[in-house]
Amino acid sequence: EVQLVETGGGLVQPGRSLKLSCVASGFTFNNYWMSWTRQAPGKGLEWVASITNSGGSTYYPDSVKGRFTISRDNAQNTLYLQMNSLRSEDTATYYCTRDPDILWGDYWGQGVMVTVSS
Amino acid sequence: DIQMTQSPSLLSASVGDRVTINCKASQNINKYLNWYQQKLGEAPKLLIYNTNNLQTGIPSRFSGSGSGTDYTLTISSLQPEDFGTYFCFQHNSWPYTFGAGTKLELK
């Protein structure tokens, strides 16, 4: 059974950093691209970052480029999202997703909440 | 960036109704269009990928169609468990983008 479990969320002050983790199980992790998507409270979905299966390439929207870094440890079956210079508008539930070839987001984690507030 | 305009934003329907949700892209997305369902407090669930491919385990009352810039999700006969919010999503070009969502509620 495919499982994605996110951890690392919490309350953080504006300008500070936070690192999210997503532990994957039930599939061969290094065969898949992976991504992070977020959802602000009561709002829609926003794609945040993607990484190739090898970790050699990463992709971001302008809203987080230069502040967020997606990475992975294929030996540990773990996906990461390093978030720096956090802003109030980064407050959201963050989901990790599995992205098979030519498909996207076939499995989602349960999400982890990040609140940026002083 | 490709803008995804989803309509309607709110849809009231009854069990057994046939419903359609539309998504219009600001440019051609070459059928790289997915549909997700989200229920309150849960993660989104993939229903349809690449316009018209039913994800494993999804009932056949769900179907998708479209090409170019215009795409549609159809539920042929609404069931009680289908109420929730539906999002379209394009993964044709970066940055990937979602529609704003359609809330499907019981009439």
Side-chain angles (χ1 to χ4, degrees):
Chain A
E1 178 193 6
V2 172
Q3 284 199 317
L4 300 170
V5 179
E6 303 99 334
T7 58
L11 175 63
V12 61
Q13 293 179 328
R16 304 297 292 264
S17 299
L18 200 64
K19 188 172 186 176
L20 306 182
S21 299
C22 170
V23 176
S25 61
F27 64 100
T28 304
F29 185 66
N30 61 13
N31 283 351
Y32 292 85
W33 287 43
M34 299 289 293
S35 297
W36 291 95
T37 293
R38 67 185 179 184
Q39 186 170 37
K43 302 296 185 182
L45 297 163
E46 180 187 16
W47 165 73
V48 169
S50 292
I51 187 168
T52 57
N53 57 317
S54 67
S57 294
T58 57
Y59 304 84
Y60 307 93
D62 286 346
S63 59
V64 306
K65 194 175 295 182
R67 299 189 301 123
F68 288 13
T69 301
I70 187 172
S71 62
R72 63 193 297 160
D73 182 340
N74 284 344
Q76 298 294 324
N77 290 348
T78 303
L79 177 73
Y80 301 102
L81 185 68
Q82 176 68 46
M83 304 184 292
N84 298 333
S85 303
L86 282 162
R87 306 166 180 168
S88 58
E89 55 263 37
D90 297 318
T91 293
T93 296
Y94 286 73
Y95 298 98
C96 69
T97 68
R98 188 181 83 160
D99 307 331
D101 188 31
I102 76 167
L103 181 56
W104 195 94
D106 67 341
Y107 284 93
W108 295 56
Q110 85 288 351
V112 62
M113 184 68 200
V114 173
T115 302
V116 184
S117 174
S118 54
Chain B
D1 297 5
I2 296 176
Q3 310 303 316
M4 304 300 293
T5 302
Q6 197 172 330
S7 62
S9 56
L10 177 64
L11 182 55
S12 298
S14 302
V15 173
D17 284 353
R18 179 183 181 89
V19 301
T20 59
I21 299 170
N22 300 295
C23 201
K24 187 175 184 66
S26 60
Q27 63 192 72
N28 182 9
I29 56 172
N30 297 303
K31 296 193 172 185
Y32 287 107
L33 189 284
N34 292 359
W35 291 98
Y36 297 88
Q37 176 197 62
Q38 187 177 33
K39 297 184 180 180
L40 199 62
E42 297 183 6
K45 179 170 70 174
L46 178 64
L47 302 175
I48 302 281
Y49 63 93
N50 299 343
T51 296
N52 55 10
N53 296 280
L54 197 64
Q55 174 66 348
T56 302
I58 301 302
S60 59
R61 62 180 180 273
F62 291 91
S63 63
S65 63
S67 63
T69 61
D70 294 293
Y71 298 85
T72 299
L73 173 70
T74 300
I75 309 173
S76 60
S77 178
L78 205 57
Q79 298 302 300
E81 60 268 29
D82 298 337
F83 293 97
T85 302
Y86 291 80
F87 295 94
C88 62
F89 171 76
Q90 71 82 18
H91 58 110
N92 177 69
S93 58
W94 308 104
Y96 293 168
T97 44
F98 288 88
T102 295
K103 185 177 181 180
L104 178 56
E105 65 173 23
L106 182 63
K107 185 186 286 184

